[in-house]
Amino acid sequence: MSDLLEDARVDAPPARYDVDHVVRAGRRLRWRHRAGWATAVVVAVAAAVVAPQVVARPERPAPAPVAASPSASAASPELLSFDYAFRGYQAGAFRVLDPTLVELRGTTAEIRRNGKEVGQLTVLRPGITDVVPGLLSTTPAEPVAGREATWAQFVLPGDRASDDSEFLVWEYADGAKAMVRPIAGSMTRAGMRAVAEALAPDSGSAAHLATVAKYLPADYRLITAGSTSGSSYTEFVTASMAEERMRRPGRGPAPGKIAHLIQIKAGKADDDLPTPAKLTCQAGTCTAAVAGGYRLTVSGQGIAASEVKKIAQGITVVDLNDRAAWPRVNDAIPAAAQLTVNR
């Protein structure tokens, strides 16, 4: 389900074939691949600026007010929700964890058995029925809860079947689909069906972030938010790219180079790069230590370094050890940097 090249985040796949998307599907949640912290080495002697504020339990920013007028002929703008579509649940021997990723396409969570990750569940937003355009070989499956279901397998360029196992796609509501994708042979058809049949998509929970952004460039929009205990991540692309993706049947990326991208992450460092005590910026990446041994990283691609620095200076990092204090995604991001449902 990768919208961008997973690790380097530079080039998108060639036309029609999102190969990285195909091969990696069902292996790890996308934002974990992508949030590779710093995109450039931070030099300790680089100029330091004021570090981001770290607070224990800030007052949650209020969402932007929605104008309402009884005489208005058109619907008022409504921010696209970045809340999860379901909660974690048990399905026989399988445990679907609470979701950790929400994006334009939908919500994703790990599936585990005996504590080991064996697959992913992705619940697409209503109206997104084109799962992976042009890449599927499908056969009919028995209905799930009385609704249409399909066994699918990715097909790579040259009509060669991928080495990933087949997966289950089904309609969980009118005009809305979901997928259970195992990690190469780790789930049987019966296991996938068990996960599908136990899904309760109406019991979603709010998604939260540990970072509150005061400033984002006017022409950027939120497309991805992810969080786990002690870590959160967001991704922004230009408004035109985000709007174009919203119009695509599967809300995936258009082929070609991803030229403009902003990423914000707070969490434990998973590399050997230095973490400066004060905000330090170089080559389009700003990093700083935050309380509890965590790191804030703000990186930009195709955007002025001064803008990346300005974004980083406006970030408030909420206590990463107190997830209950984190604001909801839509409250943590300026309304101007969010897409709207009615437009």
Side-chain angles (χ1 to χ4, degrees), residues 104-334:
L104 298 187
R105 286 170 57 80
T107 300
T108 297
E110 288 185 14
I111 303 169
R112 293 188 179 181
R113 182 173 185 175
N114 298 325
K116 180 181 179 181
E117 184 184 0
V118 293
Q120 288 181 338
L121 168 65
T122 297
V123 174
L124 300 177
R125 293 179 187 268
I128 302 177
T129 57
D130 201 357
V131 180
V132 184
L135 287 174
L136 297 181
S137 171
T138 62
T139 56
E142 288 295 318
V144 173
R147 293 183 176 273
E148 180 180 316
T150 302
W151 297 112
Q153 188 173 27
F154 290 112
V155 178
L156 301 180
D159 296 325
R160 175 174 61 84
S162 76
D163 59 358
D164 282 6
S165 301
E166 66 180 358
F167 58 97
L168 180 63
V169 180
W170 77 101
E171 186 180 61
Y172 68 87
D174 291 343
K177 291 188 176 182
M179 300 176 284
V180 172
R181 296 175 295 173
I183 297 176
S186 55
M187 296 179 70
T188 64
R189 283 187 169 187
M192 285 185 272
R193 289 190 62 86
V195 170
E197 290 167 353
L199 172 67
D202 294 329
S203 60
S205 59
H208 297 80
L209 290 175
T211 56
V212 179
K214 179 180 179 181
Y215 169 78
L216 284 158
D219 193 39
Y220 279 78
R221 301 291 182 269
L222 175 70
I223 62 167
T224 302
S227 68
T228 61
S229 179
S231 181
S232 73
Y233 170 81
T234 49
E235 177 179 85
F236 304 81
V237 297
T238 59
S240 60
M241 180 179 291
E243 292 286 352
E244 190 278 338
R245 194 171 299 183
M246 287 284 285
R247 290 191 294 269
R248 293 173 67 85
R251 293 194 182 175
K257 185 176 181 179
I258 303 302
H260 303 279
L261 178 69
I262 296 169
Q263 296 169 304
I264 300 171
K265 181 170 183 180
K268 288 289 185 182
D270 56 0
D271 55 42
D272 296 326
L273 297 177
T275 301
K278 293 184 178 181
L279 188 67
T280 303
C281 302
Q282 185 186 18
T285 296
C286 295
T287 56
V290 293
Y294 296 98
R295 178 197 287 173
L296 169 70
T297 301
V298 180
S299 61
Q301 178 178 299
I303 180 174
S306 60
E307 285 289 273
V308 177
K309 182 177 178 180
K310 187 174 180 180
I311 296 167
Q313 289 176 310
I315 297 290
T316 296
V317 181
V318 185
D319 187 352
L320 282 154
N321 293 314
D322 185 8
R323 197 173 184 182
W326 299 6
R328 293 179 67 161
V329 173
N330 290 89
D331 294 340
I333 305 297

